[in-house]
Amino acid sequence: MVTVLYIGSNNQEYPHGFLWEKQNVLSTWPTLLLVYAVEFGLYAWLCPRVEREGLARLHRGWWWLALAMLVAAPWYVLGTFNDLTTKSVIPALIVLQVWIATAMISAHGDEARRRVRVLVAVLVIGSMASVADLMRGLNGGLSDPFPVSRVRRMHQLGPGAAQLFSDGDAPFWRWLARPGAPRR
């Protein structure tokens, strides 16, 4: 609900609409398929089958809902940086992670264990960018603040930044994120 109120609070011009309105899907479908394969397809394919029926029945609905969300999310563009897709897939990715962990823990048999080993390798490879960011932060890469002279002012931000601003009269800004008193 908070996300809906925030998105609805923006009264500036920013990109929104269905994917086919923003780009030629016939030419970009290979990229979309690659995103599907890397984001969840490979994991779903490698994931061993959950053998315990009670556990499988409990999670199966969440599994299909998460996959449906991951497939559908990129088809509506909202924001310069596709904010809706970026934020809305997080719960689906969490469900996918829980399912993968459950499947890995309950894996029985040689084939399932082989899938788990390959899945662990793929998960490790997929986490390398996050590990690199963490190491950069631990090595002081994030500690140097910008000098005030490099901080851009509102008029320097360009048209993409308009999606971040509102006149402050929307319910989100009146009820949930009311600006504090100005500092002196």
Side-chain angles (χ1 to χ4, degrees), residues 9-162:
S9 74
N10 189 317
N11 54 8
Q12 302 294 320
E13 286 296 320
Y14 60 99
H16 62 91
F18 289 101
L19 184 63
W20 58 83
E21 296 170 352
K22 303 297 173 197
Q23 57 185 282
N24 182 355
V25 178
L26 293 176
S27 65
T28 60
W29 70 265
T31 304
L32 188 60
L33 288 179
L34 179 64
V35 168
Y36 287 156
V38 172
E39 186 168 12
F40 65 88
L42 187 59
Y43 302 115
W45 180 64
L46 287 171
C47 197
R49 184 181 172 102
V50 175
E51 299 296 331
R52 288 182 267 169
E53 190 55 39
L55 189 61
R57 193 176 311 121
L58 174 67
H59 292 292
R60 193 170 291 126
W62 287 106
W63 170 256
W64 289 112
L65 181 63
L67 289 181
M69 185 65 206
L70 290 167
V71 168
W75 288 91
Y76 191 81
V77 176
L78 180 66
T80 303
F81 306 106
N82 210 356
D83 300 338
L84 180 67
T85 299
T86 305
K87 305 298 185 280
S88 66
V89 298
I90 292 171
L93 290 172
I94 291 171
V95 168
L96 184 66
Q97 290 170 353
V98 169
W99 180 268
I100 290 171
T102 302
M104 290 171 70
I105 290 169
S106 67
H108 297 293
D110 292 338
E111 174 66 23
R113 288 192 188 101
R114 276 193 296 276
R115 284 179 173 262
V116 167
R117 284 193 292 275
V118 173
L119 189 56
V120 167
V122 169
L123 288 167
V124 167
I125 291 168
S127 68
M128 287 298 111
S130 298
V131 170
D133 284 345
L134 177 65
M135 295 310 294
R136 186 175 57 126
L138 292 175
N139 291 325
L142 302 175
S143 63
D144 297 331
F146 285 116
V148 173
S149 61
R150 286 189 55 202
V151 176
R152 294 189 291 173
R153 304 293 182 241
M154 186 71 121
H155 66 278
Q156 298 170 315
L157 292 177

Side-chain angles (χ1 to χ4, degrees), residues 9 11 166-174:
S9 74
N11 54 8
S166 171
D167 61 8
D169 196 35
F172 176 83
W173 298 107
R174 280 187 281 142

